[in-house]
Amino acid sequence: ILDGLVAPELVSEYRQQPVPLLGDWLDIVRDDHLVFIFDLEAPPEGHPYADSFFELVLGHIQQEVIDPQIWFLVRPDQLQTMHAQAPGMVLTYGADFHAPPIPANLAAQGYQVVNVEYGIGGGWMQEDHTAGI
């Protein structure tokens, strides 16, 4: 069960816990003055919202009027939409720590934060800081 990642005595308890809705999380972010880093994954091809999921979720988040509290991981093909519809959100680039992007290029595209799955070296961090990220 779950490849040993969860203690067997907790599996039943975890399976009964509800999955919170996005609106539930956004309420917590707004009420507690938190920052929410948001990484939106596309649904599989053939899903009814495969072509519109990004705009639907973006619209839902914007209804909460907490744009500065949202750090949205945005692919380059989504930048134009974000600049036009959500200029107050913090544009975040999801980087591979094995192949760091060029900070000046990211800054020129409007990215403000780099999110890395694992750690980054001091040199990389200094370059980002120098570029305004």
Side-chain angles (χ1 to χ4, degrees):
I1 296 176
L2 298 175
D3 297 327
L5 298 177
V6 175
E9 62 272 12
L10 295 176
V11 170
S12 177
E13 179 183 338
Y14 287 180
R15 284 187 174 152
Q16 294 175 28
Q17 292 182 359
V19 175
L21 299 174
L22 176 59
D24 298 334
W25 286 111
L26 295 174
D27 289 342
I28 292 168
V29 169
R30 181 190 58 249
D31 296 345
D32 293 343
H33 308 285
L34 302 173
V35 168
F36 185 61
I37 188 164
F38 193 73
D39 187 2
L40 179 61
E41 295 294 325
E45 275 189 46
H47 187 279
Y49 298 110
D51 294 332
S52 59
F53 75 96
F54 179 77
E55 290 79 9
L56 289 170
V57 173
L58 178 60
H60 184 76
I61 292 172
Q62 287 183 295
Q63 290 175 359
E64 299 295 325
V65 193
I66 57 171
D67 285 10
Q69 292 173 254
I70 303 295
W71 293 14
F72 208 126
L73 270 86
V74 182
R75 295 187 322 257
D77 64 309
Q78 298 166 329
L79 282 172
Q80 185 174 357
T81 299
M82 292 298 290
H83 286 303
Q85 295 182 19
M89 287 188 196
V90 176
L91 300 182
T92 305
Y93 183 84
D96 179 349
F97 77 101
H98 289 295
I102 298 171
N105 292 350
L106 294 179
Q109 294 175 64
Y111 286 105
Q112 298 158 282
V113 172
V114 174
N115 182 58
V116 184
E117 184 174 359
Y118 302 104
I120 61 173
W124 183 6
M125 193 177 303
Q126 183 58 44
E127 289 177 31
D128 285 344
H129 181 70
T130 300
I133 295 177

